[in-house]
mmCIF file of all heavy atoms in Angstrom:
data_model
loop_
_atom_site.group_PDB
_atom_site.id
_atom_site.type_symbol
_atom_site.label_atom_id
_atom_site.label_comp_id
_atom_site.label_asym_id
_atom_site.label_seq_id
_atom_site.Cartn_x
_atom_site.Cartn_y
_atom_site.Cartn_z
ATOM 1 N N ARG A 1 0.850 -1.191 -0.023
ATOM 2 C CA ARG A 1 0.009 0.037 0.058
ATOM 3 C C ARG A 1 0.940 1.199 -0.035
ATOM 4 O O ARG A 1 0.629 2.196 -0.750
ATOM 5 C CB ARG A 1 -0.862 -0.024 1.221
ATOM 6 C CG ARG A 1 -2.060 0.948 1.052
ATOM 7 C CD ARG A 1 -3.070 0.860 2.227
ATOM 8 N NE ARG A 1 -3.064 -0.571 2.760
ATOM 9 C CZ ARG A 1 -3.358 -0.784 3.956
ATOM 10 N NH1 ARG A 1 -3.683 0.104 4.885
ATOM 11 N NH2 ARG A 1 -3.448 -2.074 4.409
ATOM 12 N N THR A 2 1.940 1.135 0.825
ATOM 13 C CA THR A 2 2.807 2.380 0.879
ATOM 14 C C THR A 2 3.546 2.579 -0.502
ATOM 15 O O THR A 2 3.659 3.684 -1.064
ATOM 16 C CB THR A 2 3.887 2.119 1.954
ATOM 17 O OG1 THR A 2 3.264 1.995 3.170
ATOM 18 C CG2 THR A 2 4.849 3.350 2.025
ATOM 19 N N ARG A 3 3.916 1.541 -1.148
ATOM 20 C CA ARG A 3 4.585 1.578 -2.382
ATOM 21 C C ARG A 3 3.673 2.258 -3.470
ATOM 22 O O ARG A 3 3.993 2.992 -4.239
ATOM 23 C CB ARG A 3 4.993 0.215 -2.899
ATOM 24 C CG ARG A 3 5.941 0.104 -4.111
ATOM 25 C CD ARG A 3 6.221 -1.199 -4.583
ATOM 26 N NE ARG A 3 5.196 -1.890 -5.104
ATOM 27 C CZ ARG A 3 4.502 -1.673 -6.317
ATOM 28 N NH1 ARG A 3 5.036 -0.821 -7.143
ATOM 29 N NH2 ARG A 3 3.513 -2.312 -6.707
ATOM 30 N N GLU A 4 2.438 1.732 -3.427
ATOM 31 C CA GLU A 4 1.374 2.180 -4.445
ATOM 32 C C GLU A 4 1.098 3.697 -4.145
ATOM 33 O O GLU A 4 1.072 4.561 -5.131
ATOM 34 C CB GLU A 4 0.095 1.458 -4.317
ATOM 35 C CG GLU A 4 0.153 0.094 -4.813
ATOM 36 C CD GLU A 4 -1.139 -0.838 -4.481
ATOM 37 O OE1 GLU A 4 -1.966 -0.267 -3.740
ATOM 38 O OE2 GLU A 4 -1.059 -1.899 -4.826
ATOM 39 N N GLU A 5 1.035 4.203 -2.965
ATOM 40 C CA GLU A 5 0.839 5.566 -2.566
ATOM 41 C C GLU A 5 2.079 6.393 -3.029
ATOM 42 O O GLU A 5 1.920 7.477 -3.639
ATOM 43 C CB GLU A 5 0.597 5.773 -1.139
ATOM 44 C CG GLU A 5 -0.682 5.170 -0.633
ATOM 45 C CD GLU A 5 -1.892 5.877 -1.380
ATOM 46 O OE1 GLU A 5 -1.897 7.073 -1.547
ATOM 47 O OE2 GLU A 5 -2.878 5.193 -1.534
ATOM 48 N N LEU A 6 3.223 5.845 -2.863
ATOM 49 C CA LEU A 6 4.490 6.564 -3.294
ATOM 50 C C LEU A 6 4.494 6.687 -4.830
ATOM 51 O O LEU A 6 4.815 7.827 -5.409
ATOM 52 C CB LEU A 6 5.711 5.991 -2.814
ATOM 53 C CG LEU A 6 6.222 6.206 -1.420
ATOM 54 C CD1 LEU A 6 7.399 5.353 -1.007
ATOM 55 C CD2 LEU A 6 6.584 7.652 -1.363
ATOM 56 N N LEU A 7 4.044 5.693 -5.549
ATOM 57 C CA LEU A 7 3.985 5.701 -6.954
ATOM 58 C C LEU A 7 2.968 6.839 -7.380
ATOM 59 O O LEU A 7 3.254 7.644 -8.375
ATOM 60 C CB LEU A 7 3.519 4.392 -7.542
ATOM 61 C CG LEU A 7 3.495 4.187 -9.063
ATOM 62 C CD1 LEU A 7 4.979 4.425 -9.599
ATOM 63 C CD2 LEU A 7 3.046 2.824 -9.402
ATOM 64 N N ARG A 8 1.832 6.957 -6.753
ATOM 65 C CA ARG A 8 0.883 7.948 -7.047
ATOM 66 C C ARG A 8 1.438 9.319 -6.800
ATOM 67 O O ARG A 8 1.179 10.317 -7.618
ATOM 68 C CB ARG A 8 -0.391 7.816 -6.241
ATOM 69 C CG ARG A 8 -1.210 6.687 -6.758
ATOM 70 C CD ARG A 8 -2.598 6.744 -6.079
ATOM 71 N NE ARG A 8 -3.237 5.404 -6.150
ATOM 72 C CZ ARG A 8 -3.504 4.617 -5.160
ATOM 73 N NH1 ARG A 8 -3.278 4.981 -3.962
ATOM 74 N NH2 ARG A 8 -4.062 3.418 -5.381
ATOM 75 N N VAL A 9 2.238 9.487 -5.718
ATOM 76 C CA VAL A 9 2.882 10.761 -5.418
ATOM 77 C C VAL A 9 3.816 11.161 -6.479
ATOM 78 O O VAL A 9 3.811 12.292 -7.019
ATOM 79 C CB VAL A 9 3.432 10.804 -4.031
ATOM 80 C CG1 VAL A 9 4.363 11.952 -3.884
ATOM 81 C CG2 VAL A 9 2.401 10.703 -2.939
ATOM 82 N N PHE A 10 4.682 10.189 -6.869
ATOM 83 C CA PHE A 10 5.689 10.508 -7.934
ATOM 84 C C PHE A 10 5.021 10.897 -9.257
ATOM 85 O O PHE A 10 5.469 11.724 -10.065
ATOM 86 C CB PHE A 10 6.670 9.250 -8.138
ATOM 87 C CG PHE A 10 7.471 9.022 -7.027
ATOM 88 C CD1 PHE A 10 7.834 7.736 -6.715
ATOM 89 C CD2 PHE A 10 7.882 10.006 -6.190
ATOM 90 C CE1 PHE A 10 8.700 7.503 -5.570
ATOM 91 C CE2 PHE A 10 8.820 9.729 -5.112
ATOM 92 C CZ PHE A 10 9.179 8.428 -4.805
ATOM 93 N N GLU A 11 3.835 10.141 -9.542
ATOM 94 C CA GLU A 11 3.134 10.403 -10.865
ATOM 95 C C GLU A 11 2.527 11.856 -10.781
ATOM 96 O O GLU A 11 2.622 12.622 -11.801
ATOM 97 C CB GLU A 11 2.033 9.363 -11.089
ATOM 98 C CG GLU A 11 2.577 8.036 -11.417
ATOM 99 C CD GLU A 11 1.491 6.980 -11.580
ATOM 100 O OE1 GLU A 11 0.364 7.192 -11.154
ATOM 101 O OE2 GLU A 11 1.783 5.838 -11.957
ATOM 102 N N ALA A 12 2.021 12.213 -9.607
ATOM 103 C CA ALA A 12 1.488 13.568 -9.448
ATOM 104 C C ALA A 12 2.544 14.680 -9.618
ATOM 105 O O ALA A 12 2.343 15.639 -10.254
ATOM 106 C CB ALA A 12 0.758 13.667 -8.131
ATOM 107 N N GLU A 13 3.753 14.375 -9.027
ATOM 108 C CA GLU A 13 4.775 15.315 -9.167
ATOM 109 C C GLU A 13 5.167 15.488 -10.572
ATOM 110 O O GLU A 13 5.559 16.566 -11.113
ATOM 111 C CB GLU A 13 5.932 14.938 -8.320
ATOM 112 C CG GLU A 13 5.833 15.036 -6.856
ATOM 113 C CD GLU A 13 6.991 14.578 -5.998
ATOM 114 O OE1 GLU A 13 7.738 13.857 -6.448
ATOM 115 O OE2 GLU A 13 6.945 14.858 -4.764
ATOM 116 N N ALA A 14 5.339 14.322 -11.298
ATOM 117 C CA ALA A 14 5.722 14.345 -12.675
ATOM 118 C C ALA A 14 4.649 15.196 -13.531
ATOM 119 O O ALA A 14 5.046 15.935 -14.363
ATOM 120 C CB ALA A 14 5.811 12.953 -13.276
ATOM 121 N N ASP A 15 3.339 14.951 -13.205
ATOM 122 C CA ASP A 15 2.364 15.623 -14.038
ATOM 123 C C ASP A 15 2.467 17.105 -13.646
ATOM 124 O O ASP A 15 2.259 17.953 -14.702
ATOM 125 C CB ASP A 15 0.966 15.185 -13.547
ATOM 126 C CG ASP A 15 0.593 13.842 -14.195
ATOM 127 O OD1 ASP A 15 1.228 13.429 -15.087
ATOM 128 O OD2 ASP A 15 -0.292 13.163 -13.626
ATOM 129 N N ALA A 16 2.686 17.555 -12.466
ATOM 130 C CA ALA A 16 2.785 18.976 -12.100
ATOM 131 C C ALA A 16 4.018 19.550 -12.791
ATOM 132 O O ALA A 16 3.895 20.745 -13.409
ATOM 133 C CB ALA A 16 3.046 19.188 -10.602
ATOM 134 N N LYS A 17 5.136 18.815 -12.903
ATOM 135 C CA LYS A 17 6.302 19.436 -13.620
ATOM 136 C C LYS A 17 5.993 19.508 -15.151
ATOM 137 O O LYS A 17 6.372 20.525 -15.752
ATOM 138 C CB LYS A 17 7.573 18.454 -13.405
ATOM 139 C CG LYS A 17 8.080 18.488 -12.069
ATOM 140 C CD LYS A 17 9.243 17.653 -12.023
ATOM 141 C CE LYS A 17 9.897 17.645 -10.587
ATOM 142 N NZ LYS A 17 10.999 16.674 -10.406
ATOM 143 N N ARG A 18 5.250 18.563 -15.701
ATOM 144 C CA ARG A 18 4.799 18.635 -17.105
ATOM 145 C C ARG A 18 3.984 19.827 -17.313
ATOM 146 O O ARG A 18 4.133 20.611 -18.325
ATOM 147 C CB ARG A 18 4.177 17.467 -17.546
ATOM 148 C CG ARG A 18 5.179 16.285 -17.972
ATOM 149 C CD ARG A 18 4.438 15.201 -18.701
ATOM 150 N NE ARG A 18 3.547 14.414 -17.824
ATOM 151 C CZ ARG A 18 3.903 13.435 -16.999
ATOM 152 N NH1 ARG A 18 5.138 13.031 -17.038
ATOM 153 N NH2 ARG A 18 2.990 12.811 -16.328
ATOM 154 N N GLN A 19 3.084 20.095 -16.505
ATOM 155 C CA GLN A 19 2.169 21.291 -16.561
ATOM 156 C C GLN A 19 2.838 22.634 -16.468
ATOM 157 O O GLN A 19 2.598 23.492 -17.195
ATOM 158 C CB GLN A 19 1.029 21.112 -15.572
ATOM 159 C CG GLN A 19 0.019 20.071 -15.775
ATOM 160 C CD GLN A 19 -1.007 19.933 -14.602
ATOM 161 O OE1 GLN A 19 -0.882 20.526 -13.646
ATOM 162 N NE2 GLN A 19 -1.926 18.900 -14.830
ATOM 163 N N LYS A 20 3.803 22.595 -15.558
ATOM 164 C CA LYS A 20 4.615 23.867 -15.403
ATOM 165 C C LYS A 20 5.436 24.101 -16.579
ATOM 166 O O LYS A 20 5.512 25.298 -17.068
ATOM 167 C CB LYS A 20 5.510 23.798 -14.086
ATOM 168 C CG LYS A 20 4.823 23.983 -12.836
ATOM 169 C CD LYS A 20 5.847 23.918 -11.706
ATOM 170 C CE LYS A 20 5.126 23.981 -10.397
ATOM 171 N NZ LYS A 20 6.127 23.844 -9.194
ATOM 172 N N ALA A 21 6.046 23.081 -17.126
ATOM 173 C CA ALA A 21 6.834 23.192 -18.429
ATOM 174 C C ALA A 21 5.993 23.698 -19.490
ATOM 175 O O ALA A 21 6.324 24.580 -20.279
ATOM 176 C CB ALA A 21 7.557 21.946 -18.719
ATOM 177 N N GLN A 22 4.830 23.066 -19.597
ATOM 178 C CA GLN A 22 3.857 23.470 -20.706
ATOM 179 C C GLN A 22 3.420 24.894 -20.557
ATOM 180 O O GLN A 22 3.419 25.689 -21.574
ATOM 181 C CB GLN A 22 2.634 22.505 -20.704
ATOM 182 C CG GLN A 22 1.799 22.739 -21.956
ATOM 183 C CD GLN A 22 2.499 22.533 -23.273
ATOM 184 O OE1 GLN A 22 3.153 21.532 -23.442
ATOM 185 N NE2 GLN A 22 2.396 23.401 -24.169
ATOM 186 N N ALA A 23 3.176 25.358 -19.340
ATOM 187 C CA ALA A 23 2.807 26.786 -19.103
ATOM 188 C C ALA A 23 3.868 27.693 -19.545
ATOM 189 O O ALA A 23 3.615 28.788 -20.181
ATOM 190 C CB ALA A 23 2.389 27.010 -17.643
ATOM 191 N N LEU A 24 5.162 27.331 -19.198
ATOM 192 C CA LEU A 24 6.338 28.081 -19.616
ATOM 193 C C LEU A 24 6.407 28.179 -21.159
ATOM 194 O O LEU A 24 6.816 29.245 -21.696
ATOM 195 C CB LEU A 24 7.599 27.635 -18.961
ATOM 196 C CG LEU A 24 7.705 27.824 -17.475
ATOM 197 C CD1 LEU A 24 8.948 27.103 -16.869
ATOM 198 C CD2 LEU A 24 7.803 29.271 -17.150
ATOM 199 N N ILE A 25 6.193 27.032 -21.785
ATOM 200 C CA ILE A 25 6.352 26.968 -23.232
ATOM 201 C C ILE A 25 5.205 27.848 -23.768
ATOM 202 O O ILE A 25 5.458 28.650 -24.780
ATOM 203 C CB ILE A 25 6.255 25.588 -23.727
ATOM 204 C CG1 ILE A 25 7.445 24.779 -23.353
ATOM 205 C CG2 ILE A 25 5.983 25.495 -25.196
ATOM 206 C CD1 ILE A 25 7.323 23.239 -23.599
ATOM 207 N N ASP A 26 3.982 27.737 -23.342
ATOM 208 C CA ASP A 26 2.963 28.687 -23.737
ATOM 209 C C ASP A 26 3.281 30.029 -23.716
ATOM 210 O O ASP A 26 2.994 30.940 -24.537
ATOM 211 C CB ASP A 26 1.628 28.239 -23.145
ATOM 212 C CG ASP A 26 1.139 26.856 -23.449
ATOM 213 O OD1 ASP A 26 1.599 26.303 -24.401
ATOM 214 O OD2 ASP A 26 0.187 26.382 -22.610
ATOM 215 N N SER A 27 3.737 30.464 -22.552
ATOM 216 C CA SER A 27 4.160 31.875 -22.313
ATOM 217 C C SER A 27 5.215 32.249 -23.263
ATOM 218 O O SER A 27 5.168 33.429 -23.772
ATOM 219 C CB SER A 27 4.683 32.073 -20.916
ATOM 220 O OG SER A 27 3.682 31.769 -19.872
ATOM 221 N N MET A 28 6.186 31.483 -23.510
ATOM 222 C CA MET A 28 7.269 31.712 -24.412
ATOM 223 C C MET A 28 6.780 31.950 -25.819
ATOM 224 O O MET A 28 7.080 32.894 -26.472
ATOM 225 C CB MET A 28 8.311 30.656 -24.340
ATOM 226 C CG MET A 28 9.620 31.061 -24.746
ATOM 227 S SD MET A 28 10.925 29.769 -24.414
ATOM 228 C CE MET A 28 10.200 28.350 -24.945
ATOM 229 N N VAL A 29 5.873 31.137 -26.232
ATOM 230 C CA VAL A 29 5.223 31.194 -27.600
ATOM 231 C C VAL A 29 4.472 32.463 -27.682
ATOM 232 O O VAL A 29 4.602 33.144 -28.771
ATOM 233 C CB VAL A 29 4.460 29.935 -27.873
ATOM 234 C CG1 VAL A 29 3.617 30.071 -29.065
ATOM 235 C CG2 VAL A 29 5.380 28.762 -28.021
ATOM 236 N N ARG A 30 3.687 32.779 -26.664
ATOM 237 C CA ARG A 30 2.855 34.027 -26.802
ATOM 238 C C ARG A 30 3.776 35.165 -26.835
ATOM 239 O O ARG A 30 3.418 36.116 -27.678
ATOM 240 C CB ARG A 30 1.999 33.995 -25.515
ATOM 241 C CG ARG A 30 0.466 34.175 -25.747
ATOM 242 C CD ARG A 30 -0.334 34.209 -24.485
ATOM 243 N NE ARG A 30 0.255 33.955 -23.223
ATOM 244 C CZ ARG A 30 0.053 32.759 -22.751
ATOM 245 N NH1 ARG A 30 -0.449 31.851 -23.328
ATOM 246 N NH2 ARG A 30 0.627 32.529 -21.463
ATOM 247 N N LEU A 31 4.847 35.244 -26.103
ATOM 248 C CA LEU A 31 5.770 36.419 -26.124
ATOM 249 C C LEU A 31 6.364 36.512 -27.512
ATOM 250 O O LEU A 31 6.517 37.644 -28.027
ATOM 251 C CB LEU A 31 6.761 36.258 -25.045
ATOM 252 C CG LEU A 31 6.441 36.902 -23.703
ATOM 253 C CD1 LEU A 31 7.548 36.560 -22.635
ATOM 254 C CD2 LEU A 31 6.392 38.391 -23.752
ATOM 255 N N LYS A 32 6.797 35.358 -28.014
ATOM 256 C CA LYS A 32 7.401 35.469 -29.311
ATOM 257 C C LYS A 32 6.610 35.966 -30.417
ATOM 258 O O LYS A 32 6.962 36.732 -31.344
ATOM 259 C CB LYS A 32 7.970 34.068 -29.633
ATOM 260 C CG LYS A 32 9.256 33.671 -28.965
ATOM 261 C CD LYS A 32 9.687 32.340 -29.400
ATOM 262 C CE LYS A 32 10.943 31.848 -28.764
ATOM 263 N NZ LYS A 32 11.523 30.612 -29.262
ATOM 264 N N LYS A 33 5.301 35.581 -30.386
ATOM 265 C CA LYS A 33 4.307 35.980 -31.399
ATOM 266 C C LYS A 33 4.073 37.477 -31.292
ATOM 267 O O LYS A 33 4.039 38.157 -32.214
ATOM 268 C CB LYS A 33 2.979 35.209 -31.203
ATOM 269 C CG LYS A 33 2.948 33.808 -31.683
ATOM 270 C CD LYS A 33 1.560 33.231 -31.538
ATOM 271 C CE LYS A 33 1.620 31.773 -31.981
ATOM 272 N NZ LYS A 33 0.253 31.192 -31.847
ATOM 273 N N GLU A 34 3.807 37.953 -30.089
ATOM 274 C CA GLU A 34 3.607 39.379 -29.806
ATOM 275 C C GLU A 34 4.778 40.112 -30.171
ATOM 276 O O GLU A 34 4.644 41.274 -30.696
ATOM 277 C CB GLU A 34 3.197 39.611 -28.313
ATOM 278 C CG GLU A 34 1.843 39.110 -27.925
ATOM 279 C CD GLU A 34 0.715 39.718 -28.753
ATOM 280 O OE1 GLU A 34 0.812 40.863 -29.026
ATOM 281 O OE2 GLU A 34 -0.186 38.925 -29.141
ATOM 282 N N LEU A 35 5.965 39.684 -29.907
ATOM 283 C CA LEU A 35 7.144 40.395 -30.199
ATOM 284 C C LEU A 35 7.336 40.484 -31.738
ATOM 285 O O LEU A 35 7.719 41.566 -32.212
ATOM 286 C CB LEU A 35 8.386 39.739 -29.589
ATOM 287 C CG LEU A 35 9.755 40.508 -29.829
ATOM 288 C CD1 LEU A 35 9.742 41.846 -29.231
ATOM 289 C CD2 LEU A 35 10.883 39.661 -29.203
ATOM 290 N N ALA A 36 7.053 39.394 -32.440
ATOM 291 C CA ALA A 36 7.180 39.435 -33.900
ATOM 292 C C ALA A 36 6.198 40.435 -34.491
ATOM 293 O O ALA A 36 6.604 41.169 -35.407
ATOM 294 C CB ALA A 36 6.953 37.955 -34.424
ATOM 295 N N ARG A 37 4.982 40.457 -34.001
ATOM 296 C CA ARG A 37 3.963 41.448 -34.492
ATOM 297 C C ARG A 37 4.464 42.862 -34.143
ATOM 298 O O ARG A 37 4.383 43.749 -35.053
ATOM 299 C CB ARG A 37 2.598 41.249 -33.840
ATOM 300 C CG ARG A 37 1.966 40.038 -34.412
ATOM 301 C CD ARG A 37 0.478 40.068 -33.850
ATOM 302 N NE ARG A 37 -0.030 38.674 -33.845
ATOM 303 C CZ ARG A 37 -0.563 37.985 -32.783
ATOM 304 N NH1 ARG A 37 -0.715 38.595 -31.686
ATOM 305 N NH2 ARG A 37 -0.869 36.856 -32.944
ATOM 306 N N PHE A 38 4.998 43.083 -32.944
ATOM 307 C CA PHE A 38 5.365 44.440 -32.524
ATOM 308 C C PHE A 38 6.651 44.848 -33.443
ATOM 309 O O PHE A 38 6.616 45.944 -33.937
ATOM 310 C CB PHE A 38 5.799 44.315 -31.028
ATOM 311 C CG PHE A 38 6.227 45.626 -30.567
ATOM 312 C CD1 PHE A 38 5.285 46.713 -30.252
ATOM 313 C CD2 PHE A 38 7.547 46.032 -30.454
ATOM 314 C CE1 PHE A 38 5.709 47.805 -29.844
ATOM 315 C CE2 PHE A 38 8.021 47.188 -30.016
ATOM 316 C CZ PHE A 38 7.005 48.244 -29.656
ATOM 317 N N LYS A 39 7.525 43.912 -33.725
ATOM 318 C CA LYS A 39 8.737 44.207 -34.540
ATOM 319 C C LYS A 39 8.229 44.584 -35.933
ATOM 320 O O LYS A 39 8.813 45.620 -36.504
ATOM 321 C CB LYS A 39 9.688 43.043 -34.548
ATOM 322 C CG LYS A 39 10.525 42.976 -33.475
ATOM 323 C CD LYS A 39 11.498 41.836 -33.603
ATOM 324 C CE LYS A 39 12.598 41.602 -32.535
ATOM 325 N NZ LYS A 39 13.539 40.500 -32.798
ATOM 326 N N LEU A 40 7.282 43.921 -36.451
ATOM 327 C CA LEU A 40 6.802 44.268 -37.842
ATOM 328 C C LEU A 40 6.239 45.664 -37.870
ATOM 329 O O LEU A 40 6.588 46.497 -38.745
ATOM 330 C CB LEU A 40 5.780 43.230 -38.341
ATOM 331 C CG LEU A 40 6.297 41.919 -38.748
ATOM 332 C CD1 LEU A 40 5.187 40.961 -39.036
ATOM 333 C CD2 LEU A 40 7.180 41.982 -39.937
ATOM 334 N N SER A 41 5.347 46.026 -36.951
ATOM 335 C CA SER A 41 4.719 47.254 -36.849
ATOM 336 C C SER A 41 5.911 48.396 -36.625
ATOM 337 O O SER A 41 5.789 49.413 -37.315
ATOM 338 C CB SER A 41 3.707 47.318 -35.741
ATOM 339 O OG SER A 41 2.740 46.441 -36.017
ATOM 340 N N TYR A 42 6.708 48.101 -35.730
ATOM 341 C CA TYR A 42 7.873 49.038 -35.416
ATOM 342 C C TYR A 42 8.695 49.254 -36.689
ATOM 343 O O TYR A 42 9.063 50.396 -36.975
ATOM 344 C CB TYR A 42 8.588 48.632 -34.271
ATOM 345 C CG TYR A 42 9.797 49.517 -33.924
ATOM 346 C CD1 TYR A 42 9.582 50.776 -33.543
ATOM 347 C CD2 TYR A 42 11.056 48.968 -33.961
ATOM 348 C CE1 TYR A 42 10.664 51.657 -33.352
ATOM 349 C CE2 TYR A 42 12.184 49.824 -33.729
ATOM 350 C CZ TYR A 42 11.990 51.107 -33.390
ATOM 351 O OH TYR A 42 13.075 51.925 -33.073
ATOM 352 N N ASP A 43 9.135 48.191 -37.386
ATOM 353 C CA ASP A 43 9.907 48.321 -38.645
ATOM 354 C C ASP A 43 9.168 49.118 -39.615
ATOM 355 O O ASP A 43 9.894 49.960 -40.283
ATOM 356 C CB ASP A 43 10.363 46.973 -39.006
ATOM 357 C CG ASP A 43 11.332 46.290 -38.147
ATOM 358 O OD1 ASP A 43 12.079 46.942 -37.332
ATOM 359 O OD2 ASP A 43 11.538 45.037 -38.290
ATOM 360 N N CYS A 44 7.961 48.954 -39.831
ATOM 361 C CA CYS A 44 7.215 49.714 -40.823
ATOM 362 C C CYS A 44 7.159 51.194 -40.471
ATOM 363 O O CYS A 44 7.397 52.063 -41.343
ATOM 364 C CB CYS A 44 5.809 49.281 -40.904
ATOM 365 S SG CYS A 44 5.551 47.637 -41.697
ATOM 366 N N LEU A 45 6.962 51.523 -39.161
ATOM 367 C CA LEU A 45 6.928 52.932 -38.711
ATOM 368 C C LEU A 45 8.381 53.532 -38.781
ATOM 369 O O LEU A 45 8.564 54.691 -39.226
ATOM 370 C CB LEU A 45 6.417 53.097 -37.320
ATOM 371 C CG LEU A 45 4.949 52.795 -37.016
ATOM 372 C CD1 LEU A 45 4.630 52.740 -35.565
ATOM 373 C CD2 LEU A 45 4.166 53.860 -37.769
#
């Protein structure tokens, strides 16, 4: 029972790490898109 509970804890930690990494990737992609749009507008001006 203890082994099974530890396995669940490890799986939950891994899921949390994956979610954090995905959130960071999403933020990075959003920033890159906005920066590219901003650069285009700025370069035109």
Side-chain angles (χ1 to χ4, degrees):
R1 195 173 332 150
T2 302
R3 189 186 68 76
E4 289 171 359
E5 291 299 322
L6 277 174
L7 185 59
R8 285 191 199 117
V9 168
F10 293 148
E11 288 173 352
E13 287 176 349
D15 286 342
K17 286 179 181 179
R18 278 191 291 275
Q19 289 173 356
K20 285 181 183 179
Q22 188 60 49
L24 288 172
I25 290 168
D26 293 344
S27 296
M28 203 168 48
V29 167
R30 235 183 345 268
L31 268 174
K32 283 182 178 182
K33 284 181 183 178
E34 289 300 319
L35 183 62
R37 283 190 207 127
F38 182 79
K39 278 183 176 180
L40 284 174
S41 299
Y42 175 62
D43 287 342
C44 287
L45 289 173

